[in-house]
Amino acid sequence: MGIFNNLFGKKEEKTIEAVADNAVLAVCDGEFIPAEKIADPVFAENMMGQTVAIEPTNSTITSPVNGTLEVVFPTGHAFAVRANDGTGYLVHIGIDTVSMNGEGFKALKKQGDTVKAGETVVEVDFNKVEAANHPKTTMIIITEPVEDKTYSYIDFGTVKANQIISK
């Protein structure tokens, strides 16, 4: 059937592996870093919540968890997802990228959409982000933790998109 899909312009959808509701995935390929290595004190000092980040090497940003998109910023630079376990996560793409007014960001999902961990939410042109002199560091922030739940991550280092980074 693949040849017929190609002939008639039908795209084959990428299969997303199902993961447990308590799993947190890397939102892109890159270098997984702790908060203190982020070049912005708001994120580096965990002011918005427990924060980790990835220095991206690809341009698609996925949902870190199974859940519902509660907010997709009109500028595409950030989105919030409520995990099925109740945890609130914010994914913030780049530093000070809100000032780009959406230039270089394409949100593929909207507020209220149900997402699977690993499903693409935003496509980013990181050449535009870098041309605007913004770091492309992408943060994953636990803005609303679930009471009595501990959140921990694997060792920092190189990660692939959709790799489980939670312990």
Side-chain angles (χ1 to χ4, degrees):
M1 278 302 230
I3 193 164
F4 292 111
N5 288 343
N6 290 338
L7 284 174
F8 297 106
K10 194 173 183 181
K11 289 185 180 180
E12 289 187 33
E13 303 227 359
K14 188 175 104 180
T15 304
I16 298 171
E17 293 290 322
V19 297
D21 281 344
N22 64 347
V24 179
L25 306 186
V27 297
C28 57
D29 295 340
E31 191 67 18
F32 184 46
I33 61 170
E36 56 268 16
K37 290 194 174 183
I38 300 169
D40 182 314
V42 170
F43 299 113
E45 296 172 18
N46 295 289
M47 289 182 194
M48 297 178 72
Q50 183 182 345
T51 303
V52 291
I54 299 174
E55 293 294 347
T57 57
N58 69 314
S59 61
T60 51
I61 306 299
T62 63
S63 177
V65 294
N66 296 320
T68 303
L69 290 170
E70 291 193 329
V71 177
V72 178
F73 285 77
T75 54
H77 80 286
F79 60 91
V81 60
R82 175 75 54 191
N84 289 342
D85 74 359
T87 305
Y89 290 89
L90 175 68
V91 176
H92 193 287
I93 307 161
I95 296 174
D96 293 330
T97 49
V98 67
S99 65
M100 294 178 66
N101 295 314
E103 185 67 30
F105 296 88
K106 181 181 178 186
L108 303 177
K109 300 288 180 186
K110 62 186 181 328
Q111 182 175 323
D113 284 353
T114 298
V115 289
K116 293 179 185 174
E119 192 171 348
T120 302
V121 177
V122 177
E123 290 179 349
V124 185
D125 182 342
F126 279 117
N127 291 326
K128 288 185 178 181
V129 172
E130 289 176 322
N133 293 314
H134 296 293
K136 59 186 185 175
T137 310
T138 298
M139 285 64 64
I140 304 166
I141 306 135
I142 299 170
T143 55
E144 297 176 66
V146 171
E147 193 173 327
D148 297 328
K149 180 175 178 181
T150 37
Y151 299 87
S152 58
Y153 295 97
I154 62 170
D155 292 337
F156 296 105
T158 303
V159 293
K160 294 299 250 171
N162 305 334
Q163 173 183 339
I164 296 174
I165 58 172
S166 56
K167 283 198 219 178

